[in-house]
Amino acid sequence: MGSFLRVTKQYLPHVARLCLISTFLEDGIRMWFQWSEQRDYIDTTWNCGYLLASSFVFLNLLGQLTGCVLVLSRNFVQYACFGLFGIIALQTIAYSILWDLKFLMRNLALGGGLLLLLAESRSEGKSMFAGVPTMRESSPKQYMQLGGRVLLVLMFMTLLHLDASFFSIVQNIVGTALMILVAVGFKTKLAALTLVVWLFAINVYFNAFWTIPVYKPMHDFLKYDFFQTMSVIGGLLLVVALGPGGVSMDEKKKEW
């Protein structure tokens, strides 16, 4: 594990950030190519009129693409993260995700990835919390990392299967154990890397949108799912690259 991190130390954060913003990038581009469909959907659902529906699509397009450019260029990353948080909240309400537990948990997991990105940017640049008294140095960052880890785990709860087949039982037990390790911050980097491999394999197998013709609705559904999962993978890669933070069992072990 140590040798893997030494070799990938330079590249891992960049790969993590690219994966993390991939769902926003894909969705922003989709807003451009499906402008009229998205506008009509919002107008029909909320009966808000042509102008408001168009404004919603434009805000999604501009907000997501601008946020992606800022994150990748490492400029105003904290503001980009807050903007993308806003997009997640807006979409959760506009697309009625609030009432769909699976999609809500995935959106929360996406928010967890952004929290980790916010924590990473905070350690690089000037703190947004300068002047705020803390119990110890980097305290807000530690709690962001804790919140990010816990929210990322929600993604895996949507992948648990309730059937009684041997494979599903084993997958559920191993997956749950890894989720708990990441959430409490024990053997965090190894557990997160294992979840990355597992999630990537599941993603490629179940969300292979490239095998479905573009004109079929399932193509868009799988594509959305695929890139949202890639974003959660990006969040986990940030955990691998940066570690669990101060509020974790791994950190407490050093004190013992």
Side-chain angles (χ1 to χ4, degrees), residues 17-184:
R17 286 192 289 268
L18 182 61
C19 289
L20 188 53
I21 58 97
S22 63
T23 192
F24 299 106
L25 188 61
E26 185 273 332
D27 199 49
I29 293 169
R30 185 155 54 90
M31 290 290 165
W32 174 263
F33 287 105
Q34 296 182 3
W35 182 286
S36 55
E37 293 97 316
Q38 296 293 331
R39 182 197 61 217
D40 292 345
Y41 174 81
I42 293 298
D43 187 14
T44 305
T45 305
W46 292 96
N47 196 26
C48 59
Y50 179 91
L51 186 62
L52 268 177
S54 297
S55 301
F56 170 84
V57 177
F58 178 73
L59 184 63
N60 266 276
L61 187 153
L62 187 67
Q64 290 184 103
L65 295 185
T66 303
C68 291
V69 170
L70 291 177
V71 167
L72 290 178
S73 63
R74 312 300 295 138
N75 291 310
F76 305 106
V77 175
Q78 294 176 346
Y79 297 107
C81 286
F82 285 122
L84 293 173
F85 275 126
I87 295 290
I88 291 175
L90 188 65
Q91 290 188 352
T92 299
I93 296 165
Y95 293 108
S96 303
I97 290 170
L98 209 55
W99 317 119
D100 186 319
L101 188 59
K102 179 183 173 182
F103 281 104
L104 178 61
M105 288 170 81
R106 291 191 171 199
N107 265 19
L108 288 170
L110 197 54
L114 286 176
L115 260 183
L116 291 167
L117 186 59
L118 197 57
E120 185 215 15
S121 70
R122 188 182 182 279
S123 64
E124 287 183 353
K126 267 180 78 176
S127 170
M128 290 181 68
F129 298 89
V132 177
T134 57
M135 288 185 297
R136 65 173 77 176
E137 192 182 356
S138 297
S139 185
K141 179 190 170 187
Q142 293 174 172
Y143 290 109
M144 284 179 203
Q145 287 177 289
L146 172 64
R149 290 199 322 267
V150 172
L151 288 174
L152 278 179
V153 159
L154 295 177
M155 178 72 182
F156 297 91
M157 292 177 70
T158 69
L159 299 174
L160 297 177
H161 298 285
L162 300 178
D163 57 90
S165 68
F166 175 75
F167 178 74
S168 290
I169 292 170
V170 171
Q171 182 178 311
N172 288 350
I173 291 171
V174 173
T176 303
L178 290 169
M179 284 189 284
I180 291 169
L181 289 176
V182 169
V184 302

Side-chain angles (χ1 to χ4, degrees), residues 175-197:
T176 303
L178 290 169
M179 284 189 284
I180 291 169
L181 289 176
V182 169
V184 302
F186 183 69
K187 300 287 184 186
T188 318
K189 291 186 176 185
L190 182 60
L193 188 60
T194 307
L195 282 175
V196 165
V197 174

